[in-house]
Amino acid sequence: MRGIRGWARAVPGTTLVRTSALALALLTGCKTPGSYREPVAVFQQGNAEASSALGQYYSELNRFERDLYLDERLYDTGLEVLATDASGGPTPLVGKLFSPESIQARMDAIAVLGVYAERLATLAGAQNAGKLPEGATALGTQLGSLGQKMQTLAGKGDASASRYVEPVTTLVGVVASLVVEARQGQALQKAVEQGSAQVDAIIGLLEKDMVEVLGPQRLTGARQALASRVMFYNLHREKLSLAERRAVLDDIRRASDDYEALVVANPVELARALRDAHEALLRFSRAERKVESFEELSAAMQSFQGRVETAAAAVKRIHEPPKE
């Protein structure tokens, strides 16, 4: 990924040549794939990193709930570890607060955003139209399977999961139906225009998840874990040996670090960065190909990559095992 960013930095002796060549290409008024290639490559790479971080966050939701359940019982001896609760339902020890269908719907939504970005990058980077059909069959099979999978999720899992079905299956259809046109610039513009509403809808649903449910829930859990350790230490510190106090204080330190990481790692920033980058790509696709519009797109993609790297690193931090 560092290599992709390198295109935006000046190389001695090449900046003037690149700018002049770009100006000639853009000021002709032609919508060429070359004007998309490098920014779309950054978009693709950033999308892949954001998708990976979001996917990791979603896939570990049930593990987080189970760990929190056991953590409560570590510092409160009045709580039993049980497979079922008072009403007979499964506890987080054996149950799943988030159904597999619910998580799968979101993972598929993130996956199709990645395929969309990959298709844009392929179109923008192709030297000629003949190169594109080589993977068309595999791509069609992949997207067809994804579309069928999403259809089977309708009516399953929680109500929020079902809201992903329509925008995901529609975006699958947009990407799968793309054909190579005589001018690749037209194919790119068609992809961005037709996919725009569905990309916005998917990102909006991801953002809603993070803001209204997942983010507050995880932050509350981390705060609770920290509070339980602090309370335990304050109640029992006089009875603990030096070694035991050190162990509990080290645990408090780790819990404090985890809470701080969650505050910084708010994954909604990944969804918002994806949305802003797509909107920049959409504005460029609708604009005349002038140097100014290209520079605006380049700056937007640089910002996008920086935001994704920062947020993804913070999300990764909350999943790292504690240091001994």
Side-chain angles (χ1 to χ4, degrees):
M1 183 166 301
R2 298 290 181 184
I4 295 294
R5 180 184 289 182
W7 67 266
R9 291 196 286 264
V11 177
T14 64
T15 303
L16 180 59
V17 174
R18 282 190 182 183
T19 304
S20 299
L22 179 61
L24 287 173
L26 297 180
L27 292 176
T28 58
C30 296
K31 297 181 179 180
T32 64
S35 59
Y36 282 96
R37 190 170 299 138
E38 290 174 339
V40 171
V42 176
F43 177 70
Q44 180 191 27
Q45 293 293 326
N47 184 92
E49 186 168 3
S51 297
S52 175
L54 285 170
Q56 182 183 31
Y57 191 84
Y58 274 116
S59 66
E60 296 189 0
L61 290 174
N62 288 318
R63 183 190 64 80
F64 174 78
E65 292 299 318
R66 183 177 63 252
D67 289 349
L68 183 60
Y69 174 82
L70 294 174
D71 187 80
E72 289 176 324
R73 282 141 184 83
L74 174 64
Y75 287 100
D76 188 345
T77 57
L79 296 175
E80 294 182 287
V81 176
L82 301 170
T84 57
D85 57 26
S87 63
T91 68
L93 181 66
V94 295
K96 295 183 181 299
L97 180 62
F98 301 91
S99 71
E101 291 86 0
S102 175
I103 294 177
Q104 189 62 55
R106 289 155 175 82
M107 297 293 285
D108 284 343
I110 293 169
V112 77
L113 289 176
V115 176
Y116 172 78
E118 181 181 358
R119 190 59 169 162
L120 283 180
T122 301
L123 285 166
Q127 296 300 316
N128 57 70
K131 289 188 177 182
L132 291 174
E134 293 176 4
T137 302
L139 178 63
T141 301
Q142 177 187 2
L143 291 176
S145 298
L146 180 56
Q148 292 174 6
K149 185 189 299 182
M150 290 302 299
Q151 289 290 357
T152 63
L153 290 176
K156 296 182 179 180
D158 61 45
S160 63
S162 65
R163 292 198 289 266
Y164 281 86
V165 175
E166 182 179 355
V168 167
T169 52
T170 303
L171 185 58
V172 164
V174 169
V175 179
S177 66
L178 279 176
V179 295
V180 179
E181 301 184 18
R183 294 169 61 192
Q184 291 172 35
Q186 291 178 353
L188 276 167
Q189 190 163 6
K190 179 180 179 182
V192 176
E193 291 284 350
Q194 290 189 342
S196 175
Q198 310 312 321
V199 170
D200 285 345
I202 292 170
I203 293 175
L205 288 170
L206 292 171
E207 185 175 2
K208 187 178 180 69
D209 275 351
M210 301 296 176
V211 171
E212 296 183 1
V213 181
L214 307 183
Q217 187 170 35
R218 293 204 67 170
L219 199 59
T220 299
R223 187 185 301 116
Q224 179 181 329
L226 177 59
S228 65
R229 285 160 170 76
V230 171
M231 181 178 296
F232 178 87
Y233 179 82
N234 289 337
L235 288 174
H236 301 283
R237 65 184 185 277
E238 294 181 357
K239 302 175 184 177
L240 300 175
S241 67
L242 177 61
E244 289 171 335
R245 290 201 306 274
R246 181 177 290 113
V248 176
L249 288 172
D250 283 344
D251 203 17
I252 290 174
R253 185 180 297 108
R254 284 193 293 268
S256 179
D257 287 343
D258 290 345
Y259 176 72
E260 179 184 359
L262 276 169
V263 171
V264 175
N266 190 351
V268 72
E269 173 62 13
L270 293 168
R272 289 170 177 167
L274 278 171
R275 182 187 58 209
D276 292 347
H278 180 260
E279 288 176 353
L281 190 61
L282 183 62
R283 285 195 301 272
F284 182 73
S285 75
R286 292 170 173 170
E288 291 297 326
R289 297 304 187 269
K290 297 179 181 180
V291 172
E292 291 81 2
S293 61
F294 181 82
E295 290 176 345
E296 180 184 349
L297 178 64
S298 300
M301 292 306 158
Q302 277 188 289
S303 174
F304 168 59
Q305 190 174 44
R307 290 168 67 187
V308 167
E309 287 180 350
T310 299
V315 168
K316 181 180 178 181
R317 179 184 163 195
I318 69 178
H319 299 293
E320 290 177 346
K323 296 179 181 180
E324 298 297 335

